[in-house]
Amino acid sequence: MAVAPSRNDRRIILHLDYDCFYASVFEVEQPVLKTLPLAVQQKQIVVTCNYEARRRGLRKLQLIKEAKQICPDVVIVLGEDLSKFRDASKDIFRYIRSFVWGERVERLGFDELFLDVTEMIAYNVDLLNRHDLEHSFFHLDRLEPTVGFTYDATRVCGSTYPAGPDTTFGTAPSATADEDASELRTRLLVASHLAAYLRGQLEHHKGYTATVGISTSKLLAKLVGSTHKPNNQTTLLPPYATTDRAAPTNVVDFLDAHEIRKIPGIGSKLTQKLTKYLTEGSALVSDTATNPDRVTVRDVRLLPGMGPSLLDRILGGPGAPRDIGARVWGLLNGVDNTEVIQTGDLPTQISIEDSYGRLDTLDGVRRELISLTGSLLRRMRTDLTEEDNGSDSVTDLSSETSRHPGLSKVRWLARPRTLRLSTRPRSTTDGAHALHIGRISRSAPLPGYVFHVDENVDALAERLVHDQLLSMFRKLHPERSGWNLRLMNVAVTNMVEAAGDQKQSSGRDIGKMFQSQGSRRRDAFTEPETASESGPLNLQHGEALRPVYFPAAPPVVNDAWEESDGEDTTMACVACAVCGALIPHFARDAHEVFHLASD
Ligand code: DCP
Ligand code: MG
């Protein structure tokens, strides 16, 4: 079954993944740590470790206890406060973005970026002097012809897939029979030098090394990048498409060896369904040594009758997207048209949460709410305000601005309109059946006084808790006692940018910044303040920091219950642990009976 070529295969996309990100943040602060085995601890787990530690046998997501046994002199640093990672991540993102024309950079989690560099590459390919490729100059700025770097355009920089020396350059593109492949090869080659330059600049100016993938889509760039880690880069070489259906392309060759669960967009549910079909169904491939734990793209792709409609039958069903078959078939063939969505500077929401061993008294809740709210208000001031020295503008002390005592004016760049409180109660038992309760939440309008920056944060936090959050809490948990919380999260959402104000301030063009955050803007910095959960659940938290961008991916359950932005939501819901449906609180018991009956 043929696959329609990707309409976006003329794009050039880079994927950047910073090496051992959390550990590197500590190493940049204290370079002496670079030579020591270093592990970052969250609860009882090593969330990441540097390569010296990996060389000594440590690995990501290992228990601290185990890590200490394997490497007794491991240096362990605490990584539960995410603020330093968030700040480093923002800083690197802005630095890399400053190189990319049109700022086409998407931030995924804390430590991954997608760059759409199509335009820069097309411009530089046009300027290549085919008679002197060895002494090429990459222009980083169209208006400043001296800004850029020299490079040797006769060879790809860094590793390639397939591996091995590539000898097609140095001659005119027409030397290759397939003109399309030749043209794409040239663009990828030029992009490989840009990737190397960006990696070098990042290391030199910021102290971070990164691993880069170079291809024509987010899917392929991400996957090919991870073939050579760390501090490396890999270009997926053409041919990407072929007119001869029997001739394999490098894309298909490359993808075929991947386990399906490693393909972004094919989540664990789809993997399960595909594996079940392969191993149990009539399509059991008895003559191939298909390992049910390691079903590969090739295993699925070559099944008799395989194509979008068979995939629809295998993967479709209630809740599945209508075009699931076509999408997954596309992914299995390396087709991914998802765009690089420009990440904005302002968050669309800010949330602070913490997890608790035991939180079952109103007094405890009040204390914790005040502490969480204090952190939230501080984060709002850091992320949503800007100092306004007022030198170039009329002094404005209206609602958009205020003064720190004795300091310069402070202006809100955006104001959230909604306050949200979420809790996650511990599982309760009802007779013989444990009912697992997900997060429950409630929203209300955010009072205007939280924007008074001349007031003390802790006093404001206390006021907000007493005015609003405690009554929201009581609506979530009407009983005075009998509950026990695992987690509380306080968030501000429904951000409204101060877009009317176009004046320059602190050297930053706010009007331009807002323009660049058009409708395709993606929330940049919504990660919670602290790593929450304990034990193995911590992994879930880590996953949450690594949002999935592919459309075929199952929804991130974590926020599935979230209310629509805006007004006070009068109905608090819980997610049913059995079917995932959102059930209003009052209907919980009835819903559970429904499951018991259907069993
Ligand atoms: N992280 C986490 N929980 C997880 C996975 C990751 O908290 N389950 C954090 C720690 C990592 C950061 O996210 O430093 C980035 O995750 P990566 O998987 O990219 O891991 P590293 O960047 O640490 O290592 P690598 O060099 O393999 O990219
Ligand atoms: Mg990384």
Side-chain angles (χ1 to χ4, degrees):
M1 164 100 205
V3 174
S6 161
R7 67 181 151 83
N8 277 331
D9 65 0
R10 300 195 66 78
R11 296 178 302 167
I12 298 292
I13 310 290
L14 309 187
H15 174 259
L16 253 93
D17 179 346
Y18 319 143
D19 301 317
C20 325
F21 181 54
Y22 287 9
S24 302
V25 173
F26 287 98
E27 289 178 351
V28 166
E29 269 178 8
Q30 284 175 272
V32 65
L33 292 172
K34 283 186 187 171
T35 54
L36 307 171
L38 176 69
V40 182
Q41 174 173 6
Q42 276 178 5
K43 306 288 174 180
Q44 289 314 310
I45 284 174
V46 173
V47 276
T48 194
C49 50
N50 67 2
Y51 276 86
E52 178 54 25
R54 293 185 200 190
R55 208 177 53 75
R56 308 249 215 126
L58 300 200
R59 48 184 178 76
K60 294 191 269 187
L61 308 182
Q62 192 165 37
L63 285 173
I64 289 285
K65 210 170 112 191
E66 243 173 71
K68 282 182 178 164
Q69 278 162 4
I70 297 168
C71 179
D73 56 337
V74 60
V75 177
I76 295 177
V77 286
L78 273 184
E80 285 184 15
D81 176 0
L82 304 182
S83 42
K84 68 164 71 191
F85 309 131
R86 193 184 57 241
D87 291 348
S89 172
K90 268 190 211 180
D91 186 46
I92 302 175
F93 160 68
R94 288 181 181 152
Y95 180 68
I96 295 290
R97 189 182 61 179
S98 70
F99 291 97
V100 180
W101 294 0
E103 303 195 337
R104 301 284 303 276
V105 182
E106 176 175 340
R107 188 170 172 262
L108 182 71
F110 274 158
D111 84 329
E112 288 179 59
L113 298 179
F114 290 104
L115 282 55
D116 184 334
V117 294
T118 311
E119 215 189 317
M120 308 176 77
I121 298 303
Y123 182 84
N124 279 284
V125 166
D126 275 353
L127 291 183
L128 280 177
N129 174 358
R130 313 271 161 173
H131 303 293
D132 189 16
L133 290 171
E134 263 178 56
H135 304 101
S136 298
F137 186 81
F138 193 106
H139 294 267
L140 287 166
D141 191 328
R142 264 180 286 219
L143 302 176
E144 295 282 347
T146 55
V147 176
F149 57 91
T150 53
Y151 68 105
D152 174 1
T154 62
R155 51 168 199 92
V156 178
C157 188
S159 311
T160 57
Y161 181 93
D166 190 277
T167 51
T168 24
F169 298 98
T171 50
S174 55
T176 309
D178 183 337
E179 229 170 85
D180 272 357
S182 169
E183 187 257 359
L184 177 57
R185 187 182 297 269
T186 306
R187 290 191 297 129
L188 290 166
L189 176 148
V190 174
S192 74
H193 289 274
L194 173 62
Y197 176 79
L198 293 176
R199 286 176 44 230
Q201 295 294 302
L202 181 64
E203 185 169 10
H204 185 71
H205 293 285
K206 299 286 176 185
Y208 292 91
T209 63
T211 293
V212 179
I214 301 130
S215 186
T216 56
S217 67
K218 294 203 287 186
L219 171 76
L220 296 174
K222 183 174 163 77
L223 287 175
V224 82
S226 62
T227 56
H228 293 91
K229 290 175 82 167
N231 197 9
N232 207 328
Q233 61 179 69
T234 313
T235 305
L236 180 54
L237 293 175
Y240 279 31
T242 167
T243 40
D244 173 7
R245 281 187 47 204
T249 66
N250 281 349
V251 169
V252 168
D253 263 355
F254 170 66
L255 281 176
D256 261 3
H258 284 76
E259 291 169 35
I260 45 171
R261 64 188 173 90
K262 298 265 170 70
I263 305 295
I266 301 186
S268 56
K269 270 196 194 139
L270 299 188
T271 301
Q272 263 174 27
K273 285 185 180 176
L274 287 167
T275 307
K276 192 161 173 250
Y277 181 82
L278 245 88
T279 51
E280 286 179 17
S282 53
L284 179 69
V285 195
S286 49
D287 55 340
T288 62
T290 303
N291 177 347
D293 298 326
R294 300 177 50 94
V295 171
T296 63
V297 169
R298 186 169 196 279
D299 293 331
V300 180
R301 202 175 55 79
L302 293 184
L303 277 178
M306 185 43 73
S309 40
L310 179 54
L311 284 169
D312 266 334
R313 286 205 296 281
I314 302 172
L315 305 172
R322 235 187 253 157
D323 58 346
I324 184 85
R327 279 199 229 168
V328 170
W329 181 240
L331 293 176
L332 295 177
N333 286 277
V335 178
D336 165 33
N337 291 322
T338 54
E339 286 198 38
V340 171
I341 300 170
Q342 201 171 308
T343 302
D345 267 310
L346 291 172
T348 57
Q349 64 169 28
I350 298 175
S351 85
I352 309 283
E353 67 183 31
D354 208 349
S355 58
Y356 307 99
R358 178 163 203 91
L359 185 58
D360 56 0
T361 64
L362 263 181
D363 251 4
V365 165
R366 183 183 301 117
R367 210 178 34 244
E368 293 306 329
L369 279 177
I370 290 173
S371 149
L372 290 174
T373 306
S375 306
L376 179 69
L377 295 178
R378 270 182 270 273
R379 269 278 306 279
M380 282 169 61
R381 288 184 180 184
T382 314
D383 289 359
L384 303 179
T385 68
E386 181 175 72
E387 269 195 30
D388 184 351
N389 298 322
S391 55
D392 60 343
S393 61
V394 180
T395 303
D396 172 14
L397 284 175
S398 69
S399 61
E400 290 299 323
T401 54
S402 195
R403 274 181 195 282
H404 279 310
L407 291 176
S408 59
K409 240 182 350 168
V410 167
R411 184 152 55 117
W412 288 92
L413 299 169
R415 290 164 175 251
R417 297 290 184 216
T418 304
L419 176 67
R420 186 185 66 209
L421 170 67
S422 313
T423 67
R424 187 190 292 182
R426 287 221 139 61
S427 305
T428 56
T429 21
D430 179 5
H433 299 278
L435 179 65
H436 174 78
I437 305 174
R439 288 190 194 210
I440 53 179
S441 67
R442 190 150 196 112
S443 299
L446 181 66
Y449 60 76
V450 299
F451 300 108
H452 294 172
V453 287
D454 41 2
E455 280 183 40
N456 173 285
V457 165
D458 296 313
L460 282 178
E462 216 161 304
R463 185 170 165 195
L464 193 59
V465 169
H466 286 275
D467 280 7
Q468 290 273 4
L469 286 160
L470 278 178
S471 67
M472 291 160 79
F473 182 84
R474 282 195 204 97
K475 286 179 186 150
L476 285 177
H477 300 277
E479 312 82 16
R480 284 198 71 77
S481 61
W483 35 260
N484 181 8
L485 306 180
R486 285 156 53 124
L487 175 140
M488 285 206 296
N489 176 306
V490 184
V492 285
T493 66
N494 194 15
M495 206 68 74
V496 177
E497 291 167 357
D501 197 338
Q502 301 265 323
K503 71 189 168 195
Q504 286 267 341
S505 170
S506 309
R508 198 141 61 108
D509 184 347
I510 305 301
K512 188 168 157 238
M513 191 170 95
F514 290 143
Q515 274 165 26
S516 73
Q517 293 169 349
S519 56
R520 295 190 311 113
R521 195 182 61 127
R522 171 186 274 261
D523 182 8
F525 311 117
T526 55
E527 298 80 4
E529 181 83 341
T530 50
S532 56
E533 302 294 351
S534 56
L537 281 172
N538 195 33
L539 309 189
Q540 287 181 4
H541 172 72
E543 297 301 334
L545 289 180
R546 312 177 61 71
V548 183
Y549 60 87
F550 288 93
V556 180
V557 185
N558 194 24
D559 269 352
W561 37 263
E562 202 154 282
E563 309 86 347
S564 61
D565 273 346
E567 298 315 302
D568 187 2
T569 330
T570 49
M571 199 189 290
C573 291
V574 293
C576 170
V578 181
C579 67
L582 299 180
I583 315 295
H585 237 326
F586 63 80
R588 208 168 76 185
D589 292 348
H591 186 79
E592 201 194 356
V593 170
F594 157 76
H595 278 301
L596 294 177
S598 59
D599 281 342

